[in-house]
Amino acid sequence: MTRIRLASITELDKGQTKKFRYTQDGVPREGFLARLENCWVAYENRCRHIAISLDLDDGVFFTDDGKYFFCQTHGAVYEPETGLCVHGPCKDASLFSLPVKNDDESVWLELE
Ligand code: FES
């Protein structure tokens, strides 16, 4: 198992995100961590419409109202808790979820 420290548990406030890099299946990838109301989630930073980043490198993942993630290219909208696309060209597809766990100090990515 590969375990990567993504953040301290005090680093992000609710509604904030942080990008990170990891390798899976021998391929370098980029992900993003988000702190939600009651949990942490992480996803690969790759839209399900076209395989490009959601944020276009500016680190903005949440919609203005903070309720959804969105893709800046064509506006796909995803539920933060599930990664499901609920609006846009890839409706009903889901972001690639990444397993995160936290302890008293840190949030970790844990890959098999
Ligand atoms: S590339 Fe994301 S919605 Fe088209």
Side-chain angles (χ1 to χ4, degrees):
M1 179 196 299
T2 302
R3 196 167 192 242
I4 301 169
R5 185 178 183 272
L6 300 180
S8 78
I9 59 166
T10 58
E11 191 173 332
L12 300 180
D13 291 326
K14 290 169 186 170
Q16 290 188 318
T17 59
K18 179 183 181 182
K19 296 203 291 187
F20 56 90
R21 296 197 176 276
Y22 65 104
T23 299
Q24 192 170 36
D25 301 326
V27 178
R29 302 173 194 267
E30 184 175 80
F32 66 100
L33 172 70
R35 187 170 186 178
L36 307 182
E37 188 64 30
N38 296 309
C39 64
W40 300 85
V41 294
Y43 297 99
E44 185 175 3
N45 184 12
R46 180 159 55 129
C47 185
R48 290 306 310 277
H49 177 217
I50 298 171
I52 56 176
S53 69
L54 297 170
D55 69 325
L56 299 180
D57 263 353
D58 65 3
V60 175
F61 293 94
F62 277 105
T63 52
D64 285 345
D65 64 9
K67 292 182 178 176
Y68 297 96
F69 298 137
F70 76 113
C71 175
Q72 294 190 36
T73 300
H74 303 121
V77 175
Y78 299 90
E79 289 181 342
E81 294 83 1
T82 65
L84 178 68
C85 180
V86 293
H87 178 78
C90 46
K91 189 173 185 305
D92 297 330
S94 291
L95 296 174
F96 294 108
S97 178
L98 296 169
V100 289
K101 289 188 176 170
N102 68 279
D103 56 27
D104 290 344
E105 296 180 358
S106 302
V107 184
W108 302 87
L109 173 67
E110 293 187 347
L111 297 173
E112 291 299 323

